[in-house]
Amino acid sequence: MLSYKDTYKVRRTCRFKQKREVYLPDMAQQDNAGFSFEVQKICPETGARAGILTTPHSVIETPVFMPVGTQSTVKTMSQQELEEIDARIILGNTYHLYLRPGAELIREAGGIHEFMGWKGSVLTDSGGYQVFSLNDLRKITREGVWFRSHIDGSKHLFSPESVIKTEHDIGADIIMAFDECIPYPATVEYTERSCKLTEEWAARCRDTHEKLDDGSCVLFAICQGSVYPELREKYAQRLVDMDFWGYAIGGLAVGEPKKDMFDMVGANARMLPEHKPRYLMGVGFPDDIVEAVSRGVDMFDCVMPTRNARNGTVFTYDGKLVLKNAHTARDFGPIDPGCQCPSCRNYTRAYIRHLFQAGEILGPRLATMHSIYFYLEIMREMRKAIMEDRYPQWRNDFLRRYRKEE
Amino acid sequence: MLSYKDTYKVRRTCRFKQKREVYLPDMAQQDNAGFSFEVQKICPETGARAGILTTPHSVIETPVFMPVGTQSTVKTMSQQELEEIDARIILGNTYHLYLRPGAELIREAGGIHEFMGWKGSVLTDSGGYQVFSLNDLRKITREGVWFRSHIDGSKHLFSPESVIKTEHDIGADIIMAFDECIPYPATVEYTERSCKLTEEWAARCRDTHEKLDDGSCVLFAICQGSVYPELREKYAQRLVDMDFWGYAIGGLAVGEPKKDMFDMVGANARMLPEHKPRYLMGVGFPDDIVEAVSRGVDMFDCVMPTRNARNGTVFTYDGKLVLKNAHTARDFGPIDPGCQCPSCRNYTRAYIRHLFQAGEILGPRLATMHSIYFYLEIMREMRKAIMEDRYPQWRNDFLRRYRKEE
């Protein structure tokens, strides 16, 4: 058994090597500490990647979908249910957790995993998206962003330094740099100024992280650049030069045309180092995710499955299904006959529709369970197809059926 | 293997004998069909009873608490969670299910068990309580009660005949006769007139049930009589003479003093045949249930644990606990350190409080799970104490701690 100091050294090493082989696999098995990322296979036709991302809390097979647990709970689900369907990493929102219950309290509880009773990994976003999307009153300076709480109107400053400190207090496995998330559309001039600011903030985030670093988390930078490929490429390169542990593609799915979104994903992805994880933030519908995997993205999060489920709409291999529609009233089959999720194994469309009609909490619960399972399942299928050299066929089959093109 | 006709005969027989020994236990094990009730032990000091109530869907150890699943769901819980904590019978509300989704639809689904995916037993109340408590506009005639739907204002008639038909369509294991549930206070004159009506309706319920009876359910009558012991006794005796399969004590916990309530429970219980199950409707707090078990009651239901839980208040051996209180904000222990429920095994008070503060559904879920488990657990403890001849001691210990009298 290695001492804590030894494991710490190895972990620091692997922050830069990021190859499982280099990282001493025996060691990882011994104490489950440390981080690693390994690309296992790349689809030669599309560039889709299968990999293994290891954190001290779980071994995550990529491509991976991370259910969104904004306020330290994936809405309607229990942590046991997430385990049951083999979710291995979830997302928490720094903005929300900072305001309520407060990062101090979470630290006092022993960190986010202890606080919420979750054994898997956690990634926290930086609050960049929220301070821009949830606040009408905000002031951006080089120092950071002043904003008002959506809960009580109180004034707060998020700076690169304060956000990284907050994320360390929360104690996620993967933390995100603080960025400016600009709206769509934005002029090329505004976008470039903003990219410079995000770059400057990324450097300050890295410096703060290095000061606080105790080996418990790794830092991802976020690439911005609106729909301008040259800005996407230029600033991605600058962030790559700063050598972050992983990279996110941000500022997309904010209203731009789908074609632009995928072009930007492509522009960013081709600048990013092959041996580091790539995370497309806030995307998206199942077919969007498949398209992005086809462009070399490894990690995803989105409120789509959970938010839609609470409104009675679920995702299936045959596209969206509106459970509240009258046609399901006497439909005594499951949401999806081919699905093995706990909802489909035990409940009918008619029953779930009744629960929604009656305003019963079990309705959103069963719908959420199904859609999260579906998202996780298509990620597992994609991974398997990549590993077995049949990803392009899987993608075509999936998209044709999902988009009802046959 | 006996033919269906044979099993039907045996089942009919046991409707009147109601003794497990008489009922051919081998037979019950063979096809799990039929109903039986057996009193296994009576506490000589208090009259508390331990028994076994068997339905085609489960073997229920009494005294038993039946979680309330008004709209074919125990609010916030899944059927798998109910199984996990060994709930064996739940309650459904005829009034609600009749209005939404409709008894026809439930029958079409194959009955309430199939409809909601619940393997245990179900008892449906008759809607008597709801047509009186949920409706300002209602008209009572000898025929039945005209009322308006609380959902869309439409007019409906509940008569003894229509309610029994509806309950048969819903397909519960135990169905309740349609009664007039009068408010408190009520004059002795009004109460006696009402008792006569309830008696007449009970006879009509029995006649309708006998016409529809296919061996799938048994019928309980409901004793009324407000707080007048002589009326309670007189009309209980008349219902007993009509030979129902089981008896409920209704019209209590509607505002009368606790002492009156327990006196009435006593007045009813002493009139009821020893070999038939006794069910006190809508009661109550944990200590109320213990008091009623001490007066010979076998079955209970109440919205108390579920409704309170959704408001952030749970029940423990030390009384009520308001989870939303500020003092739980940094309390990183479970709701009840001695409790083995899934909430207490996995989550802290601080986390659950945060969920309530943040308006997250997992909060009510975890609180409900705890309180339902607590109710089931004290029933199991009472039963064990009765079987082991130490019930009076258990009761005294429980009440002293629960009421904080030490």
Side-chain angles (χ1 to χ4, degrees):
Chain A
M1 191 71 186
L2 294 170
S3 70
Y4 177 75
K5 212 174 148 197
D6 290 326
T7 68
Y8 183 71
K9 260 189 234 154
V10 175
R11 262 190 259 139
R12 297 289 300 203
T13 308
C14 78
R15 283 190 61 208
F16 301 97
K17 302 288 186 191
Q18 299 192 313
K19 285 279 181 188
R20 230 189 172 191
E21 308 88 276
V22 180
Y23 169 63
L24 312 176
D26 286 345
M27 164 70 211
Q29 285 166 36
Q30 271 181 32
D31 66 3
N32 197 32
F35 296 82
S36 64
F37 178 68
E38 174 194 3
V39 176
Q40 297 171 294
K41 197 119 185 183
I42 299 179
C43 168
E45 191 177 320
T46 62
R49 298 142 52 100
I52 301 270
L53 173 63
T54 306
T55 80
H57 287 94
S58 59
V59 174
I60 301 149
E61 296 176 317
T62 62
V64 66
F65 178 78
M66 304 179 284
V68 177
T70 300
Q71 306 192 101
S72 71
T73 165
V74 174
K75 285 183 193 301
T76 81
M77 297 187 78
S78 73
Q79 279 66 294
Q80 286 68 46
E81 287 171 327
L82 288 165
E83 278 171 35
E84 193 187 339
I85 61 174
D86 205 17
R88 301 191 190 169
I89 178 168
I90 63 171
L91 187 132
N93 286 106
T94 296
Y95 169 86
H96 290 89
L97 295 172
Y98 161 85
L99 291 176
R100 188 171 55 197
E104 279 288 317
L105 190 145
I106 294 175
R107 194 183 59 179
E108 211 176 297
I112 185 80
H113 305 81
E114 281 292 316
F115 177 63
M116 64 183 285
W118 168 242
K119 299 186 185 86
S121 297
V122 178
L123 177 151
T124 39
D125 73 355
S126 60
Y129 179 77
Q130 281 76 21
V131 294
F132 294 101
S133 65
L134 293 181
N135 286 276
D136 297 329
L137 291 168
R138 60 168 183 271
K139 199 181 152 200
I140 308 171
T141 66
R142 277 184 69 184
E143 191 193 2
V145 185
W146 284 96
F147 64 96
R148 286 193 184 278
S149 159
H150 72 288
I151 301 169
D152 61 7
S154 54
K155 264 184 92 177
H156 301 266
L157 171 71
F158 265 10
S159 67
E161 292 77 15
S162 79
V163 164
I164 295 299
K165 170 73 169 66
T166 299
E167 294 192 84
H168 270 264
D169 283 345
I170 292 172
D173 303 276
I174 299 173
I175 65 175
M176 304 302 298
F178 187 60
D179 60 332
E180 185 188 357
C181 187
I182 60 175
Y184 175 85
T187 63
V188 68
E189 295 75 24
Y190 185 89
T191 305
E192 174 131 36
R193 273 203 311 278
S194 170
C195 283
K196 275 184 194 155
L197 187 66
T198 289
E199 182 197 352
E200 186 186 314
W201 286 359
R204 285 161 56 190
C205 285
R206 186 199 50 190
D207 294 347
T208 308
H209 173 63
E210 285 184 354
K211 267 179 223 150
L212 298 173
D213 192 9
D214 60 357
S216 66
C217 62
V218 292
L219 176 65
F220 279 35
I222 303 175
C223 303
Q224 293 285 349
S226 191
V227 292
Y228 306 107
E230 60 285 2
L231 292 180
R232 287 267 166 197
E233 290 181 1
K234 177 176 167 186
Y235 287 91
Q237 186 56 55
R238 293 192 182 189
L239 293 172
V240 168
D241 293 342
M242 281 192 240
D243 196 20
F244 286 87
W245 204 88
Y247 291 91
I249 302 169
L252 292 175
V254 291
E256 75 285 359
K258 279 274 162 89
K259 187 190 171 303
D260 285 351
M261 179 173 92
F262 292 120
D263 287 350
M264 295 310 106
V265 171
N268 269 147
R270 70 176 149 267
M271 306 308 294
L272 297 175
E274 281 226 327
H275 65 292
K276 297 192 177 188
R278 303 163 182 173
Y279 159 32
L280 177 56
M281 303 183 85
V283 173
F285 287 108
D287 50 341
D288 294 338
I289 291 179
V290 173
E291 295 283 10
V293 166
S294 306
R295 285 162 177 80
V297 175
D298 308 303
M299 301 165 70
F300 298 87
D301 82 283
C302 193
V303 294
M304 209 64 86
T306 37
R307 183 174 295 167
N308 274 276
R310 292 199 305 286
N311 294 325
T313 297
V314 291
F315 294 95
T316 75
Y317 289 97
D318 297 301
K320 266 195 196 185
L321 173 72
V322 183
L323 287 169
K324 286 163 136 185
N325 276 356
H327 70 265
T328 62
R330 296 184 127 76
D331 184 341
F332 300 116
I335 292 174
D336 182 343
C339 178
Q340 289 301 309
C341 84
S343 300
C344 289
R345 286 203 318 267
N346 294 294
Y347 302 96
T348 65
R349 292 180 176 188
Y351 179 61
I352 301 172
R353 177 182 188 267
H354 162 66
L355 294 174
F356 273 101
Q357 294 292 116
E360 289 284 358
I361 284 176
L362 186 57
R365 275 189 62 180
L366 297 178
T368 302
M369 172 56 102
H370 169 81
S371 282
I372 289 292
Y373 182 91
F374 175 72
Y375 267 66
L376 297 180
E377 192 64 14
I378 62 171
M379 304 314 287
R380 289 188 278 253
E381 285 186 19
M382 272 190 271
R383 179 183 158 79
K384 196 153 180 281
I386 297 166
M387 294 299 282
E388 293 171 359
D389 293 316
R390 53 179 179 77
Y391 178 73
Q393 186 60 49
W394 183 93
R395 179 190 63 171
N396 295 345
D397 292 347
F398 176 86
L399 292 178
R400 201 178 305 118
R401 183 172 167 194
Y402 183 84
R403 292 171 175 166
K404 301 187 174 68
E405 286 165 357
E406 55 189 352
Chain B
M1 190 70 187
L2 293 171
S3 71
Y4 177 75
K5 211 175 146 194
D6 290 328
T7 67
Y8 184 71
K9 260 190 234 154
V10 175
R11 262 189 260 138
R12 295 288 302 202
T13 309
C14 78
R15 283 191 60 209
F16 300 98
K17 301 288 187 191
Q18 298 193 312
K19 283 281 180 187
R20 230 185 170 195
E21 307 88 277
V22 180
Y23 168 63
L24 309 176
D26 285 344
M27 165 74 210
Q29 283 166 37
Q30 270 179 36
D31 66 3
N32 196 30
F35 295 83
S36 66
F37 178 67
E38 176 194 1
V39 176
Q40 296 172 294
K41 195 117 184 184
I42 299 179
C43 168
E45 189 177 321
T46 63
R49 297 141 53 101
I52 301 270
L53 172 65
T54 307
T55 80
H57 288 93
S58 60
V59 174
I60 301 149
E61 296 176 318
T62 64
V64 65
F65 178 79
M66 304 179 285
V68 177
T70 300
Q71 307 193 99
S72 70
T73 166
V74 175
K75 285 185 193 300
T76 81
M77 298 187 78
S78 73
Q79 279 67 295
Q80 286 67 46
E81 286 171 328
L82 287 165
E83 278 171 35
E84 192 187 338
I85 61 173
D86 205 17
R88 300 191 191 171
I89 178 168
I90 63 171
L91 187 133
N93 286 105
T94 296
Y95 168 87
H96 290 89
L97 295 172
Y98 161 85
L99 291 176
R100 188 171 55 197
E104 279 289 315
L105 190 146
I106 294 175
R107 193 182 60 178
E108 205 177 310
I112 185 79
H113 305 82
E114 281 292 315
F115 177 63
M116 64 183 286
W118 168 242
K119 298 186 186 87
S121 299
V122 178
L123 177 150
T124 39
D125 74 356
S126 60
Y129 179 76
Q130 280 77 20
V131 294
F132 294 100
S133 64
L134 293 181
N135 286 275
D136 297 329
L137 291 168
R138 61 170 183 269
K139 199 181 152 199
I140 309 171
T141 66
R142 275 185 73 183
E143 191 192 2
V145 185
W146 284 97
F147 64 95
R148 286 192 184 278
S149 159
H150 71 288
I151 301 168
D152 62 9
S154 55
K155 264 185 92 174
H156 301 265
L157 172 70
F158 265 10
S159 68
E161 292 77 14
S162 80
V163 164
I164 295 299
K165 171 74 169 65
T166 299
E167 293 192 85
H168 270 264
D169 282 347
I170 292 172
D173 302 276
I174 299 173
I175 66 175
M176 305 302 299
F178 187 59
D179 61 332
E180 185 189 356
C181 187
I182 60 175
Y184 175 85
T187 63
V188 67
E189 293 75 23
Y190 185 90
T191 304
E192 174 130 37
R193 274 202 310 280
S194 170
C195 283
K196 275 184 192 154
L197 187 65
T198 288
E199 183 196 352
E200 187 186 313
W201 286 359
R204 284 161 58 190
C205 285
R206 186 199 49 191
D207 294 347
T208 308
H209 174 62
E210 284 185 354
K211 267 179 222 149
L212 299 172
D213 192 8
D214 60 357
S216 66
C217 62
V218 291
L219 176 64
F220 279 34
I222 303 175
C223 304
Q224 292 285 350
S226 191
V227 292
Y228 305 107
E230 61 285 1
L231 292 180
R232 288 265 165 198
E233 290 181 1
K234 176 176 169 187
Y235 287 91
Q237 185 56 55
R238 293 192 182 190
L239 294 172
V240 169
D241 293 342
M242 280 190 239
D243 196 20
F244 286 87
W245 204 89
Y247 291 92
I249 302 169
L252 293 175
V254 292
E256 77 284 358
K258 280 274 163 86
K259 188 190 172 301
D260 285 350
M261 179 172 94
F262 292 120
D263 287 349
M264 296 308 108
V265 171
N268 270 147
R270 70 176 149 267
M271 305 308 293
L272 298 175
E274 280 226 328
H275 64 293
K276 297 193 177 189
R278 305 164 181 172
Y279 159 31
L280 177 57
M281 303 183 85
V283 173
F285 287 107
D287 50 340
D288 295 337
I289 291 180
V290 173
E291 295 282 11
V293 166
S294 306
R295 285 161 177 82
V297 176
D298 308 303
M299 302 165 69
F300 299 86
D301 82 284
C302 192
V303 296
M304 209 63 85
T306 39
R307 184 172 293 166
N308 274 276
R310 293 200 304 287
N311 294 325
T313 297
V314 291
F315 294 95
T316 74
Y317 288 96
D318 297 301
K320 268 195 193 184
L321 174 71
V322 183
L323 287 168
K324 287 163 135 185
N325 276 357
H327 71 264
T328 62
R330 297 183 127 76
D331 184 341
F332 300 115
I335 292 173
D336 182 342
C339 177
Q340 288 302 310
C341 85
S343 301
C344 289
R345 286 203 317 268
N346 294 294
Y347 302 97
T348 65
R349 292 179 176 189
Y351 180 61
I352 301 173
R353 175 181 189 267
H354 162 65
L355 294 173
F356 272 101
Q357 294 292 116
E360 289 283 359
I361 284 176
L362 187 57
R365 274 189 65 180
L366 297 179
T368 302
M369 172 56 102
H370 169 80
S371 281
I372 289 292
Y373 182 92
F374 175 72
Y375 267 66
L376 297 180
E377 193 63 15
I378 61 171
M379 303 315 285
R380 290 188 278 254
E381 285 186 18
M382 272 189 273
R383 178 183 160 78
K384 196 152 179 283
I386 296 166
M387 294 299 282
E388 293 171 0
D389 294 316
R390 52 179 180 76
Y391 178 72
Q393 185 62 46
W394 184 93
R395 179 191 62 173
N396 295 344
D397 292 347
F398 177 85
L399 291 178
R400 201 177 306 117
R401 183 172 167 193
Y402 183 83
R403 293 172 172 165
K404 300 185 175 67
E405 285 165 359
E406 54 191 348

